[in-house]
mmCIF file of all heavy atoms in Angstrom:
data_model
loop_
_atom_site.group_PDB
_atom_site.id
_atom_site.type_symbol
_atom_site.label_atom_id
_atom_site.label_comp_id
_atom_site.label_asym_id
_atom_site.label_seq_id
_atom_site.Cartn_x
_atom_site.Cartn_y
_atom_site.Cartn_z
ATOM 1 N N SER B 225 155.279 -25.230 -2.000
ATOM 2 C CA SER B 225 154.163 -26.176 -1.866
ATOM 3 C C SER B 225 154.623 -27.583 -1.485
ATOM 4 O O SER B 225 153.818 -28.400 -1.048
ATOM 5 C CB SER B 225 153.387 -26.246 -3.183
ATOM 6 O OG SER B 225 154.192 -26.827 -4.203
ATOM 7 N N GLN B 226 155.897 -27.870 -1.669
ATOM 8 C CA GLN B 226 156.481 -29.187 -1.398
ATOM 9 C C GLN B 226 155.952 -30.274 -2.333
ATOM 10 O O GLN B 226 156.110 -31.467 -2.081
ATOM 11 C CB GLN B 226 156.258 -29.594 0.064
ATOM 12 C CG GLN B 226 156.869 -28.629 1.062
ATOM 13 C CD GLN B 226 156.656 -29.053 2.494
ATOM 14 O OE1 GLN B 226 156.228 -30.178 2.764
ATOM 15 N NE2 GLN B 226 156.959 -28.163 3.434
ATOM 16 N N LEU B 227 155.338 -29.878 -3.443
ATOM 17 C CA LEU B 227 154.873 -30.856 -4.423
ATOM 18 C C LEU B 227 156.053 -31.377 -5.225
ATOM 19 O O LEU B 227 156.927 -30.611 -5.641
ATOM 20 C CB LEU B 227 153.841 -30.222 -5.360
ATOM 21 C CG LEU B 227 152.584 -29.638 -4.695
ATOM 22 C CD1 LEU B 227 151.655 -29.057 -5.758
ATOM 23 C CD2 LEU B 227 151.874 -30.690 -3.862
ATOM 24 N N CYS B 228 156.055 -32.685 -5.432
ATOM 25 C CA CYS B 228 157.168 -33.298 -6.164
ATOM 26 C C CYS B 228 157.105 -32.920 -7.648
ATOM 27 O O CYS B 228 156.023 -32.827 -8.234
ATOM 28 C CB CYS B 228 157.112 -34.820 -6.050
ATOM 29 S SG CYS B 228 157.335 -35.453 -4.366
ATOM 30 N N PHE B 229 158.259 -32.716 -8.234
ATOM 31 C CA PHE B 229 158.315 -32.467 -9.676
ATOM 32 C C PHE B 229 158.161 -33.774 -10.445
ATOM 33 O O PHE B 229 157.672 -33.802 -11.588
ATOM 34 C CB PHE B 229 159.641 -31.792 -10.048
ATOM 35 C CG PHE B 229 159.794 -30.432 -9.469
ATOM 36 C CD1 PHE B 229 160.884 -30.126 -8.665
ATOM 37 C CD2 PHE B 229 158.855 -29.440 -9.700
ATOM 38 C CE1 PHE B 229 161.048 -28.862 -8.135
ATOM 39 C CE2 PHE B 229 159.002 -28.173 -9.178
ATOM 40 C CZ PHE B 229 160.105 -27.878 -8.371
ATOM 41 N N GLU B 230 158.540 -34.871 -9.798
ATOM 42 C CA GLU B 230 158.463 -36.183 -10.452
ATOM 43 C C GLU B 230 158.550 -37.246 -9.357
ATOM 44 O O GLU B 230 159.241 -37.062 -8.358
ATOM 45 C CB GLU B 230 159.614 -36.325 -11.451
ATOM 46 C CG GLU B 230 159.574 -37.581 -12.279
ATOM 47 C CD GLU B 230 160.733 -37.628 -13.273
ATOM 48 O OE1 GLU B 230 161.891 -37.815 -12.824
ATOM 49 O OE2 GLU B 230 160.483 -37.454 -14.474
ATOM 50 N N CYS B 231 157.808 -38.339 -9.548
ATOM 51 C CA CYS B 231 157.805 -39.414 -8.546
ATOM 52 C C CYS B 231 158.740 -40.560 -8.982
ATOM 53 O O CYS B 231 158.962 -40.798 -10.172
ATOM 54 C CB CYS B 231 156.401 -39.995 -8.387
ATOM 55 S SG CYS B 231 155.182 -38.814 -7.773
ATOM 56 N N ILE B 232 159.231 -41.243 -7.991
ATOM 57 C CA ILE B 232 160.018 -42.428 -8.309
ATOM 58 C C ILE B 232 159.063 -43.522 -8.808
ATOM 59 O O ILE B 232 157.841 -43.457 -8.596
ATOM 60 C CB ILE B 232 160.817 -42.932 -7.096
ATOM 61 C CG1 ILE B 232 159.858 -43.322 -5.957
ATOM 62 C CG2 ILE B 232 161.811 -41.877 -6.629
ATOM 63 C CD1 ILE B 232 160.580 -43.942 -4.771
ATOM 64 N N LYS B 233 159.585 -44.530 -9.440
ATOM 65 C CA LYS B 233 158.780 -45.599 -10.015
ATOM 66 C C LYS B 233 157.936 -46.272 -8.933
ATOM 67 O O LYS B 233 158.407 -46.591 -7.858
ATOM 68 C CB LYS B 233 159.703 -46.624 -10.675
ATOM 69 C CG LYS B 233 158.962 -47.687 -11.459
ATOM 70 C CD LYS B 233 159.954 -48.600 -12.180
ATOM 71 C CE LYS B 233 159.218 -49.671 -12.985
ATOM 72 N NZ LYS B 233 160.166 -50.573 -13.703
ATOM 73 N N GLY B 234 156.653 -46.404 -9.239
ATOM 74 C CA GLY B 234 155.742 -47.099 -8.328
ATOM 75 C C GLY B 234 154.923 -46.177 -7.460
ATOM 76 O O GLY B 234 154.113 -46.650 -6.655
ATOM 77 N N TYR B 235 155.138 -44.838 -7.606
ATOM 78 C CA TYR B 235 154.375 -43.908 -6.773
ATOM 79 C C TYR B 235 153.789 -42.785 -7.630
ATOM 80 O O TYR B 235 154.285 -42.451 -8.698
ATOM 81 C CB TYR B 235 155.263 -43.322 -5.678
ATOM 82 C CG TYR B 235 155.644 -44.345 -4.636
ATOM 83 C CD1 TYR B 235 156.760 -45.156 -4.820
ATOM 84 C CD2 TYR B 235 154.865 -44.515 -3.484
ATOM 85 C CE1 TYR B 235 157.108 -46.113 -3.875
ATOM 86 C CE2 TYR B 235 155.209 -45.465 -2.529
ATOM 87 C CZ TYR B 235 156.324 -46.261 -2.731
ATOM 88 O OH TYR B 235 156.662 -47.213 -1.799
ATOM 89 N N TYR B 236 152.711 -42.201 -7.095
ATOM 90 C CA TYR B 236 152.073 -41.087 -7.785
ATOM 91 C C TYR B 236 151.440 -40.171 -6.729
ATOM 92 O O TYR B 236 151.441 -40.447 -5.529
ATOM 93 C CB TYR B 236 151.042 -41.564 -8.804
ATOM 94 C CG TYR B 236 149.766 -42.112 -8.202
ATOM 95 C CD1 TYR B 236 148.613 -41.334 -8.132
ATOM 96 C CD2 TYR B 236 149.727 -43.414 -7.689
ATOM 97 C CE1 TYR B 236 147.447 -41.836 -7.565
ATOM 98 C CE2 TYR B 236 148.573 -43.920 -7.132
ATOM 99 C CZ TYR B 236 147.434 -43.135 -7.067
ATOM 100 O OH TYR B 236 146.284 -43.637 -6.508
ATOM 101 N N GLY B 237 150.840 -39.070 -7.197
ATOM 102 C CA GLY B 237 150.237 -38.100 -6.280
ATOM 103 C C GLY B 237 151.078 -36.831 -6.204
ATOM 104 O O GLY B 237 152.251 -36.798 -6.623
ATOM 105 N N ASP B 238 150.442 -35.768 -5.678
ATOM 106 C CA ASP B 238 151.140 -34.476 -5.611
ATOM 107 C C ASP B 238 152.476 -34.579 -4.883
ATOM 108 O O ASP B 238 153.469 -33.957 -5.258
ATOM 109 C CB ASP B 238 150.261 -33.431 -4.904
ATOM 110 C CG ASP B 238 149.067 -33.030 -5.753
ATOM 111 O OD1 ASP B 238 149.120 -33.241 -6.984
ATOM 112 O OD2 ASP B 238 148.087 -32.515 -5.187
ATOM 113 N N LYS B 239 152.459 -35.405 -3.837
ATOM 114 C CA LYS B 239 153.692 -35.548 -3.061
ATOM 115 C C LYS B 239 154.231 -36.983 -3.159
ATOM 116 O O LYS B 239 155.003 -37.420 -2.308
ATOM 117 C CB LYS B 239 153.440 -35.171 -1.600
ATOM 118 C CG LYS B 239 153.065 -33.696 -1.428
ATOM 119 C CD LYS B 239 152.918 -33.326 0.058
ATOM 120 C CE LYS B 239 152.587 -31.847 0.193
ATOM 121 N NZ LYS B 239 152.456 -31.438 1.619
ATOM 122 N N CYS B 240 153.743 -37.634 -4.213
ATOM 123 C CA CYS B 240 154.190 -39.010 -4.475
ATOM 124 C C CYS B 240 153.952 -39.917 -3.267
ATOM 125 O O CYS B 240 154.739 -40.824 -2.958
ATOM 126 C CB CYS B 240 155.674 -39.036 -4.859
ATOM 127 S SG CYS B 240 156.062 -38.029 -6.297
ATOM 128 N N GLU B 241 152.862 -39.613 -2.598
ATOM 129 C CA GLU B 241 152.559 -40.354 -1.366
ATOM 130 C C GLU B 241 151.713 -41.611 -1.629
ATOM 131 O O GLU B 241 151.521 -42.442 -0.734
ATOM 132 C CB GLU B 241 151.841 -39.438 -0.371
ATOM 133 C CG GLU B 241 150.387 -39.149 -0.644
ATOM 134 C CD GLU B 241 150.155 -38.097 -1.724
ATOM 135 O OE1 GLU B 241 151.131 -37.700 -2.401
ATOM 136 O OE2 GLU B 241 149.011 -37.645 -1.880
ATOM 137 N N LYS B 242 151.235 -41.741 -2.904
ATOM 138 C CA LYS B 242 150.350 -42.885 -3.219
ATOM 139 C C LYS B 242 151.127 -43.927 -4.006
ATOM 140 O O LYS B 242 151.863 -43.601 -4.919
ATOM 141 C CB LYS B 242 149.154 -42.394 -4.020
ATOM 142 C CG LYS B 242 148.277 -41.365 -3.251
ATOM 143 C CD LYS B 242 147.169 -40.850 -4.142
ATOM 144 C CE LYS B 242 146.351 -39.783 -3.407
ATOM 145 N NZ LYS B 242 145.267 -39.249 -4.253
ATOM 146 N N GLU B 243 150.867 -45.152 -3.634
ATOM 147 C CA GLU B 243 151.571 -46.249 -4.281
ATOM 148 C C GLU B 243 150.739 -46.773 -5.459
ATOM 149 O O GLU B 243 149.509 -46.915 -5.348
ATOM 150 C CB GLU B 243 151.815 -47.398 -3.289
ATOM 151 C CG GLU B 243 152.779 -48.429 -3.795
ATOM 152 C CD GLU B 243 153.149 -49.432 -2.692
ATOM 153 O OE1 GLU B 243 152.656 -49.276 -1.546
ATOM 154 O OE2 GLU B 243 153.925 -50.337 -2.989
#
Side-chain angles (χ1 to χ4, degrees):
S225 67
Q226 300 181 11
L227 301 180
C228 296
F229 295 123
E230 185 178 71
C231 297
I232 61 175
K233 187 175 181 180
Y235 291 87
Y236 73 100
D238 290 340
K239 296 184 178 181
C240 302
E241 76 281 9
K242 298 176 183 179
E243 192 171 359

